[in-house]
Amino acid sequence: MSTKSKGVLQMTTLSQDRAPILEALKQFKRMRVVPFDVPGHKRGKGSPELTEFLGEKCMTVDVNSMKPLDNLCHPVSVIKEAEELAADAFGARHAFFMVNGTTSAVQAMVLSACKRGEKIILPRNVHRSVINALIIGGAVPVYVNPMMDQRLGIALGMSLADVKRAIEENPDAKAVLVNNPTYYGICSNIREITKLAHAHGMLLLADEAHGTHFYFGKNLPVAAMAAGADMASVSMHKSGGSLTQSSFLLVGERVHEGYVRQVINLTQTTSGSYLLLSSLDISRKNLAINGEQIFDKVAFLAEYAREEINEIGDYYAYSRELINGDTIFDFDITKLSVNTLDLGLAGIEVYDILRDEYDIQVEFGDIGNILAYISVGDRERDLERLVSALSEIRRRYKRDRAGMLRHEYISPKVVATPQDAFYADKESLPIGESAGRICSEFVMCYPPGIPILAPGEQITREILDYIVYAKEKGCSLTGPEDMDIERINVLKGV
């Protein structure tokens, strides 16, 4: 059987209509095994309320690793076969099943590529999981500050010229990391960045938390593996339909998969959930067989909603018209990203109104945008309800936009490495008195989880104004030890 993943054609005898983990679990259920192992609920009998809530079918397959079901840390049978099918479907040399979320996939990717003191070139508008990996492993970031879209107030992709300059100035860097795409749907020129990285002996890593569908849909941006990337973290649960917290880590020919598995096993659980594993297996099968049709529908729904929202007035649901061939090399048309600034409302305010007054939950709202995540389970009537609600919000809440902040991203001044700053001696200050000091913790709006401040960065008055504004607008700020974000930890004596 031949399978095709965004331009990567592989001749193989693997059959994508199989789901080995699912098949093994079904066989296990038929065996009626008496459990004297963990988990302690013993197929649900020990926790009636939980079984009533989740269902007996769910509880009977919440099981531990055993010979018939293989072992995630060292797969030799059904999980190994499922990994081979996933690699085939995604056009990778190997695929790892990840059950600690895409966070663990991103961290394993960075930790595999870079050791302590080694450099990695990356955009600053990365998810906190990337910077967490730098704290854990001690790699040194070389940030490529992205350009800004002044109208939308969002960070864009990396300019090819900026990446080239960073590589030439840091020839000892071990890897380049690319967001493919950003939360908003913006894509850098990953194919050319990959060529640049490889020409200088560097690995290309892709955070594809929001790009699962690139591997299966038509007329979408190029997927990382098809672009020649060496590793990609793919959040299958976001647009691929698997259970929350389940993801894939894909690797290519230039990466030693045995070493990557060792790195994964440093942090990933030894008690892999078979609910999550089977959801990855089943969802991979579904996308391999039906993905093109599924994402045709998703793209249609997103475009339909975009057109309707732009007819309302004051909202701007943006798409491929933004493409400039460089910092916006391509755009993910399945992303329904909507700018709200002309309405006189911050994105987070629209987000709150949609949830509190219309029972509509969008993915996130920030200073100037909302994102409605459209995927395999959406229906046209759901989009109609969203459009109708946005129209009513404009009629009821529109106001003058004077005094609104425009920018979602502020370029940082990096003074120390994330690891050095995070573990250094620190002191706590009232946040309003911290300007000029060096931050030793994170501050971010979640979602999307892109740090406003990261360990090792200088706190500026502009950043403090942004934090105050975000709090006033109702953004969910996370990161510091002080849960109220009234105080912040800074490097002692610096």
Side-chain angles (χ1 to χ4, degrees):
M1 179 180 177
S2 298
T3 61
K4 189 175 182 183
S5 296
K6 285 297 283 183
V8 177
L9 188 64
Q10 295 185 325
M11 299 304 297
T12 176
T13 58
L14 296 177
S15 175
Q16 287 294 335
D17 60 3
R18 294 210 44 225
I21 297 173
L22 171 66
E23 294 160 14
L25 286 169
K26 286 181 174 180
Q27 175 62 28
F28 171 77
K29 289 184 71 171
R30 287 193 290 266
M31 294 168 64
R32 302 178 65 85
V33 171
V34 178
F36 288 104
D37 62 349
V38 296
H41 62 68
K42 302 299 172 95
R43 317 294 189 261
K45 293 188 290 292
S47 187
E49 187 175 7
L50 183 61
T51 301
E52 182 183 4
F53 179 65
L54 294 180
E56 185 179 354
K57 288 184 176 179
C58 173
M59 298 297 283
T60 56
V61 292
D62 181 36
V63 294
N64 195 28
S65 295
M66 59 188 75
K67 279 191 176 181
L69 298 179
D70 209 355
N71 187 299
L72 181 61
C73 296
H74 188 87
V76 295
S77 58
V78 294
I79 295 177
K80 183 174 185 290
E81 187 178 355
E83 288 180 342
E84 290 169 352
L85 284 165
D88 180 62
F90 283 85
R93 187 170 66 85
H94 192 81
F96 295 94
F97 279 51
M98 307 298 294
V99 295
N100 285 20
T102 311
T103 288
S104 67
V106 168
Q107 291 175 351
M109 186 168 66
V110 174
L111 293 170
S112 297
C114 303
K115 298 180 178 65
R116 177 175 169 80
E118 294 179 342
K119 295 177 183 175
I120 178 171
I121 296 167
L122 68 164
R124 174 53 179 75
N125 58 324
V126 290
H127 189 264
R128 70 167 295 173
S129 59
V130 178
I131 301 176
N132 284 348
L134 305 183
I135 291 172
I136 294 167
V140 178
V142 176
Y143 289 128
V144 175
N145 281 314
M147 298 293 182
M148 293 289 301
D149 184 290
Q150 296 301 319
R151 175 182 179 184
L152 304 177
I154 63 172
L156 305 178
M158 292 190 293
S159 163
L160 196 61
D162 287 345
V163 175
K164 186 173 186 291
R165 186 179 308 111
I167 289 174
E168 290 173 347
E169 291 175 355
N170 299 274
D172 54 341
K174 298 297 180 180
V176 179
L177 186 141
V178 179
N179 294 318
N180 194 49
T182 69
Y183 226 134
Y184 303 94
I186 306 295
C187 295
S188 300
N189 188 350
I190 189 170
R191 199 186 295 274
E192 290 303 315
I193 293 173
T194 299
K195 290 178 182 177
L196 267 177
H198 287 173
H200 290 81
M202 302 175 190
L203 295 177
L204 193 289
L205 317 180
D207 181 348
E208 284 190 310
H210 302 281
T212 303
H213 45 294
F214 290 0
Y215 290 88
F216 303 99
K218 293 187 303 183
N219 302 316
L220 295 176
V222 65
M225 287 291 110
D230 300 296
M231 287 189 272
S233 52
V234 178
S235 204
M236 192 71 167
H237 69 92
K238 289 187 171 70
S239 61
S242 65
L243 292 179
T244 296
Q245 202 175 307
S246 59
S247 298
F248 287 122
L249 175 57
L250 310 176
V251 301
E253 296 292 337
R254 294 159 56 95
V255 176
H256 190 286
E257 67 188 63
Y259 177 67
V260 175
R261 191 181 298 280
Q262 283 190 319
V263 171
I264 290 170
N265 287 340
L266 291 175
T267 57
Q268 179 155 260
T269 178
T270 56
S271 303
S273 166
Y274 279 86
L275 298 174
L276 300 181
L277 293 172
S278 60
S279 81
L280 282 169
D281 202 22
I282 295 166
S283 299
R284 179 271 313 155
K285 172 185 171 183
N286 183 37
L287 294 189
I289 296 171
N290 305 308
E292 188 172 302
Q293 177 185 351
I294 288 169
F295 293 117
D296 272 354
K297 178 187 175 185
V298 170
F300 168 80
L301 289 175
E303 186 56 33
Y304 161 76
R306 239 187 315 270
E307 290 176 359
E308 293 295 310
I309 290 168
N310 285 333
E311 285 292 318
I312 295 171
D314 293 316
Y315 296 105
Y316 176 30
Y318 40 96
S319 186
R320 281 181 167 156
E321 71 279 0
L322 298 179
I323 291 174
N324 60 22
D326 189 20
T327 55
I328 312 174
F329 184 78
D330 208 344
F331 186 85
D332 176 10
I333 58 173
T334 73
K335 295 288 187 296
L336 185 57
S337 301
V338 184
N339 188 263
T340 65
L341 289 174
D342 286 343
L343 198 65
L345 294 174
I348 187 62
E349 292 175 306
V350 176
Y351 169 100
D352 286 340
I353 295 168
L354 283 169
R355 184 196 60 243
D356 296 343
E357 300 188 26
Y358 294 91
D359 296 327
I360 294 173
Q361 182 65 57
V362 295
E363 174 68 9
F364 77 81
D366 58 30
I367 297 302
N369 301 269
I370 60 171
L371 172 65
Y373 216 101
I374 303 174
S375 193
V376 296
D378 286 296
R379 303 167 296 177
E380 192 166 339
R381 66 187 183 199
D382 297 327
L383 273 299
E384 290 170 352
R385 183 173 165 187
L386 173 63
V387 171
S388 176
L390 290 174
S391 181
E392 278 196 30
I393 289 169
R394 177 181 182 266
R395 177 176 57 81
R396 295 172 59 201
Y397 292 100
K398 176 178 167 59
R399 61 182 182 231
D400 188 272
R401 62 173 293 175
M404 297 189 70
L405 280 185
R406 297 179 58 89
H407 301 307
E408 183 61 29
Y409 173 79
I410 301 170
S411 297
K413 180 180 179 183
V414 180
V415 178
T417 69
Q419 187 183 64
D420 287 346
F422 186 82
Y423 291 112
D425 289 339
K426 61 195 73 173
E427 58 184 316
S428 174
L429 290 180
I431 197 165
E433 300 174 15
S434 64
R437 302 297 294 273
I438 310 305
C439 187
S440 68
E441 55 187 355
F442 289 98
V443 182
M444 73 199 81
C445 296
Y446 194 87
I450 297 167
I452 302 166
L453 273 171
E457 295 176 358
Q458 187 174 56
I459 302 168
T460 64
R461 178 52 55 188
E462 182 184 14
I463 288 171
L464 293 177
D465 289 344
Y466 181 96
I467 292 171
V468 170
Y469 184 84
K471 287 179 69 175
E472 289 174 350
K473 291 299 182 182
C475 290
S476 178
L477 288 168
T478 67
E481 285 183 18
D482 177 16
M483 300 287 283
D484 296 322
I485 327 291
E486 300 292 341
R487 302 182 70 84
I488 192 165
N489 287 338
V490 299
L491 267 60
K492 198 169 186 176
V494 180

